[in-house]
Every structure is written in structure tokens, then in C-alpha cells.
Amino acid sequence: MRGYKAASFILSDRTEKILKNLSTSYSEPSCVVLRSKIVLMAAQEKTNSQIAAALGTAYATVSTWRNRFYNSIEFIVQAEEYNGPDSDKKLYEAVMAVLSDKPRSGKPPVFTPEQIMLINELACKNPKDFGYELSQWNLSSIAQEAVHQGIVQSISPYSVQRFLKFAGIAPWKNRYWLNSPEKHEDPETFKKN
């Protein structure tokens, strides 16, 4: 029975040196270290099963990175043929581009940094300035006012809480005993209480 023949390739001395340095690096991400080890072993014509067993990783991982490097050989060769200044740097960047994760699509952020900044700024203002009968903001009121001002179309109090927590803003803690306006407006009454 004939099995699947794994992609095979030969590494140039310069590319092999870069991969060996990456495979023993403590400063590169661990995924790049693993991938460089996979490519080095694949260049030695080891099977995917042997590589997976030796490195303690999944067969699919070995197959994926072996094939990705094989399919990028032309890109690597072009970088090797570059004779301009920083030719070693160009080759290193090419090898890293092959071994790095491809950009992943994801859900775009719902709120822009400008909207988040405006919500945080709103939380630092007095709610009475906006017609609320509150001595201090609560999350629902901030969300309601952000929609009312047209900062956002809609927002949940939980989202407001995340933004404020990340910025270190706690509008419900803005009135402390030492800074209480009652203390400064009527000190005699304040002392009696």
C-alpha cells in the first residue's frame, strides 16, 4: 500500500542557520520555535509522524507547517538571492513571515476609541449638569446619556463598566468625606452629623 509522500525540500546554509537560531531562541514566540524545529526536521527527510512524536505535537501541526514552508520556498529563494544591503535581515524577515501566523479576520470593534474616550469623559462630569437628579453617576445613567448625546447609537451598562474599569474611572466614588461639598458649604451642620 502506498502512503502519502510528505513535501521534501533542501535548505540553503543561510536559511538553515536562521532556522537553527530560531529553534533555540528564548526570545521568539514558542510557536515560531516549534515551527522552525518542524522545518529543520522536515529538511532531514523525517516523516510527519516521526517529527510529531519527537516534538510532542500533533501530526496535523507538523503537516501544516511543513506544507506551508514547502509552498513558500520560492519566496525564501527570492529573499536569499537579494544582494543589497541588509540581505541577511531580508532573509530573516522572509523566514519569519513564513513561520508566523497569518492575519486572522475577526469581528471589528463596536465602539471606536473616540467614542470610548467621550464616554469616559462624560463619566467624569457632574450628572446634574445634564439634568439628572443624581448626586453621582450610575452605569445605566451614563449609558442613557451617551445615547442621548449621540456618542453611540446604543450601549449597555456592562460596556460602560468595562470602559470605565479599563480607564480606572469610578464616578460613584468621586465624593469622599474629605471633599464633601456639604462640609465646605455648612461646616457647623456637617460637624453635628
Side-chain angles (χ1 to χ4, degrees), residues 5 18 27 55 67 81 87 105 120 136 142 152 162 186:
K5 176 107 169 104
I18 290 170
S27 59
L55 298 177
N67 289 332
E81 291 174 351
S87 61
S105 62
N120 290 344
Q136 56 201 20
I142 295 171
V152 293
R162 282 186 301 120
D186 191 7

Side-chain angles (χ1 to χ4, degrees), residues 114-132:
E114 291 80 15
Q115 290 173 317
I116 295 170
M117 181 190 68
L118 290 171
I119 291 169
N120 290 344
E121 183 182 327
L122 174 65
C124 293
K125 295 180 179 174
N126 191 339
K128 291 182 180 178
D129 296 343
F130 300 96
Y132 289 90

Side-chain angles (χ1 to χ4, degrees), residues 12-65:
S12 72
D13 291 339
R14 288 175 60 207
T15 303
E16 186 175 4
K17 181 180 176 186
I18 290 170
L19 287 167
K20 283 182 178 178
N21 287 339
L22 288 173
S23 71
T24 59
S25 175
Y26 290 103
S27 59
E28 296 294 343
S30 60
C31 59
V32 171
V33 172
L34 175 66
R35 294 164 189 171
S36 61
K37 288 177 182 178
I38 290 170
V39 172
L40 285 169
M41 293 178 81
Q44 296 170 357
E45 298 190 8
K46 302 226 185 229
T47 66
N48 289 349
S49 298
Q50 290 171 329
I51 297 170
L55 298 177
T57 190
Y59 178 92
T61 302
V62 173
S63 178
T64 297
W65 290 101

Side-chain angles (χ1 to χ4, degrees), residues 52-108:
L55 298 177
T57 190
Y59 178 92
T61 302
V62 173
S63 178
T64 297
W65 290 101
R66 180 181 206 145
N67 289 332
R68 183 177 298 180
F69 195 86
Y70 175 77
N71 293 330
S72 303
I73 289 289
E74 272 191 43
F75 177 65
I76 300 288
V77 168
Q78 286 176 354
E80 285 177 348
E81 291 174 351
Y82 176 75
N83 290 327
D86 298 330
S87 61
D88 287 338
K89 183 180 176 187
K90 294 278 186 192
L91 180 57
Y92 171 81
E93 289 172 354
V95 170
M96 283 300 289
V98 172
L99 296 179
S100 297
D101 289 327
K102 292 181 178 175
R104 296 179 182 172
S105 62
K107 185 178 177 183

Side-chain angles (χ1 to χ4, degrees), residues 119-121 123 139 142 159-172:
I119 291 169
N120 290 344
E121 183 182 327
L139 297 172
I142 295 171
S159 293
V160 171
Q161 180 184 21
R162 282 186 301 120
F163 301 150
L164 297 180
K165 184 176 182 180
F166 184 76
I169 299 170
W172 40 90

